[in-house]
Amino acid sequence: MNRLARVDLRTDWTEARLLNVAAGLLAAATVLAILARPIDLPQQPLRVTFVVSGTAAVWLLIWRLLPATNRPRVVSVLLFVGFLLLSALLVWCNPLFGFFVWTGYLFTVYTLPGWWQVVGAAGVASVTAASQAGGYRTLESTGGLWLYGFLFLVNAGISSAMTRLETVKDRNAVRRNEIIDELAEANAKLEEALKENAGLHAQLLVQAHEAGVLDERQRMAGEIHDVLAQGLTGIVTQLEAAETGTAERERHLAAAKRLARESLTEARRSVQALRPQHLDEAGLPDALGEVVQSWSGLHGVRADLITTGPTRRLLPEIEMTLLRTAQEALANVARHARAGRVGLTLSYMEDMVTLDVRDDGAGFDPDRPREVTASGGFGLSAMRERLSRIAGTLGVESEPGGGTALSACVPAIGIGGAP
Ligand SMILES: Nc1ncnc2c1ncn2[C@@H]1O[C@H](COP(=O)(O)OP(=O)(O)OP(=O)(O)O)[C@@H](O)[C@H]1O
Ligand SMILES: [Mg+2]
């Protein structure tokens, strides 16, 4: 229910109650007037009294039939003026009607708008003063006039104070209702926002889950490529060499076996999402040194590693990414470059670490990368993908016949978070 409707209903209800009270007092005062006949009071004949009192009763009835809601102000004022005139007539009939007149104060507060309340209260005070002074006969003498004036002022003073108090109370009630409505509105908005939030939260969870699945899928794809595919390629190469039946046969078979064992170990570690074995045992420069040396021994190609800058332990994810980058770069040299020499440089700088891998082999056109197929073409993009996951980048410089240079750059986040 909105504020206006509530205030209107309240006004209707209050006014109806007041009219009931007024009607009751009118009846009581009429009975009193009949009973007080023998007393010496300035009173009119009974039939005159009945006519006036009956008219007042009808007036109250009409008033009752015009509820305050939607009633124009002017009608309210007219109803009150009629009430006041009838009150004055009733007091003229018998001062004991003062009991009834008193209800006029209440009507001033609940029926009259704004400043009309002051005028109304003064009107009621003038009639009340007459009834208290024992009727209008008092006004005939100077002393009576003084008494009337005094009574009027007292009544007017009390009624103004009461009217003021009621008005303030009423205004507070309206304000309270307004605040309650505002609160209800704010609550409704809050509820709506919470519902919306819950929806967003659910959506976020779904997205986070999907992102997690995608991330893990990419990681596994990278691991399978770097660990299994590379290992198997190496094994196939060694077995093919052994098949040629030369004196080197035993050496190739032993290399194939070693590769198979290493690949198996690495594959197990990948499944368990552990770091490569080399890194577990040593820091990145040493692990890289081992990988380079073993690669060189296996392929018979000279490979050198240079480390520059202050070496330090980096976040495991960063070290692992650099190691995998070097492994894939070397695997590519072995498969595609037919190089005579490979140089790797690992440089530790203040806030970044770079790894460069250069070979003097066949080279290729980096602007025309081979398509990803079942037989390969995944290596460079997987490398890029891995690096971007740790905010790193990959640069490829190469041209057919001019060798190849790869450059990976990653943030130097040390263990503990500080660069
Ligand atoms: N060092 C290099 N020397 C010459 N060509 C290279 C070198 N590195 C990459 N390439 C070329 O770039 C292509 C893409 O390499 P990438 O590693 O993405 O795939 P791949 O090695 O062919 O297959 P995969 O790595 O998926 O087994 C290679 O096929 C090769 O033609
Ligand atoms: Mg490759």
Side-chain angles (χ1 to χ4, degrees):
M1 196 191 301
N2 70 31
R3 180 177 62 80
L4 277 178
R6 198 158 60 209
V7 169
D8 287 349
L9 273 188
R10 196 176 135 265
T11 314
D12 274 354
W13 183 82
T14 314
E15 201 181 81
R17 295 287 289 265
L18 289 183
L19 285 166
N20 287 348
V21 171
L25 285 173
L26 180 63
T30 309
V31 172
L32 216 57
I34 298 167
L35 296 177
R37 285 308 293 167
I39 306 171
D40 178 27
L41 279 170
Q43 43 192 322
Q44 303 305 317
L46 265 186
R47 60 196 152 71
V48 179
T49 307
F50 286 155
V51 170
V52 180
S53 143
T55 312
V58 171
W59 194 255
L60 291 179
L61 189 65
I62 295 172
W63 196 330
R64 183 76 197 265
L65 293 177
L66 295 169
T69 323
N70 299 331
R71 189 172 62 206
R73 281 181 170 202
V74 63
V75 177
S76 296
V77 173
L78 283 178
L79 283 170
F80 183 79
V81 170
F83 169 87
L84 204 58
L85 287 176
L86 284 165
S87 301
L89 278 176
L90 283 167
V91 170
W92 169 70
C93 290
N94 193 319
L96 288 172
F97 276 98
F99 289 112
F100 165 71
V101 178
W102 164 82
T103 52
Y105 288 129
L106 301 175
F107 287 120
T108 55
V109 175
Y110 289 101
T111 308
L112 295 180
W115 281 102
W116 278 104
Q117 291 184 347
V118 179
V119 180
V124 177
S126 71
V127 182
T128 318
S131 78
Q132 286 164 349
Y136 295 103
R137 199 176 54 182
T138 327
L139 298 176
E140 288 161 13
S141 66
T142 318
L145 265 175
W146 275 109
L147 175 66
Y148 177 81
F150 172 74
L151 286 173
F152 172 75
L153 285 179
V154 170
N155 277 295
I158 291 173
S159 69
S160 324
M162 298 293 283
T163 309
R164 176 88 199 119
L165 273 178
E166 275 302 306
T167 312
V168 169
K169 211 175 83 189
D170 215 42
R171 211 175 284 154
N172 284 346
V174 170
R175 182 69 201 124
R176 212 169 31 238
N177 285 341
E178 270 174 4
I179 290 172
I180 289 171
D181 284 330
E182 277 162 20
L183 272 180
E185 209 171 296
N187 262 351
K189 274 189 194 154
L190 193 71
E191 231 165 78
E192 213 168 285
L194 281 178
K195 257 188 227 156
E196 209 171 295
N197 230 7
L200 280 177
H201 190 227
Q203 212 171 317
L204 267 183
L205 279 182
V206 170
Q207 279 174 1
H209 176 72
E210 278 169 6
V213 169
L214 193 71
D215 223 43
E216 182 57 13
R217 201 175 288 159
Q218 276 169 348
R219 187 190 73 81
M220 282 312 287
E223 293 289 280
I224 289 170
H225 173 272
D226 295 352
V227 176
L228 284 183
Q230 273 177 20
L232 289 172
T233 309
I235 293 166
V236 170
T237 314
Q238 295 302 320
L239 289 178
E240 276 170 357
E243 261 176 2
T244 53
T246 59
E248 295 281 282
R249 190 181 142 87
E250 288 304 316
R251 192 176 69 82
H252 287 307
L253 280 179
K257 256 195 248 170
R258 201 184 73 231
L259 269 177
R261 266 195 216 101
E262 278 175 13
S263 299
L264 188 64
T265 312
E266 286 299 301
R268 286 203 179 110
R269 298 178 75 84
S270 290
V271 169
Q272 291 164 11
L274 294 174
R275 283 145 54 83
Q277 197 175 13
H278 297 293
L279 274 179
D280 248 6
E281 290 157 4
L284 181 62
D286 290 347
L288 214 52
E290 247 176 71
V291 166
V292 170
Q293 209 181 351
S294 129
W295 179 87
S296 177
L298 200 61
H299 297 282
V301 178
R302 182 174 162 192
D304 302 298
L305 168 70
I306 300 171
T307 304
T308 67
T311 60
R312 54 200 183 270
R313 290 310 296 250
L314 304 172
L315 278 187
E317 183 69 17
I318 294 179
E319 290 194 338
M320 185 166 132
T321 303
L322 286 177
L323 188 74
R324 292 281 187 235
T325 302
Q327 281 174 324
E328 170 59 12
L330 288 174
N332 274 352
V333 174
R335 275 182 72 189
H336 312 293
R338 293 185 306 281
R341 219 179 140 175
V342 185
L344 294 93
T345 312
L346 178 65
S347 313
Y348 284 83
M349 283 162 270
E350 196 185 336
D351 51 5
M352 63 171 126
V353 176
T354 58
L355 170 71
D356 297 307
V357 184
R358 297 168 311 281
D359 69 66
D360 59 357
F364 68 106
D365 184 355
D367 295 331
R368 276 198 260 153
R370 73 168 271 196
E371 275 181 34
V372 179
T373 61
S375 67
F378 186 68
L380 287 177
S381 56
M383 221 188 259
R384 221 170 243 126
E385 170 66 33
R386 263 182 196 285
L387 284 162
S388 75
R389 244 183 286 161
I390 54 163
T393 54
L394 177 72
V396 181
E397 275 179 40
S398 182
E399 58 177 329
T404 303
L406 291 192
S407 177
C409 178
V410 297
I413 305 172
I415 292 175

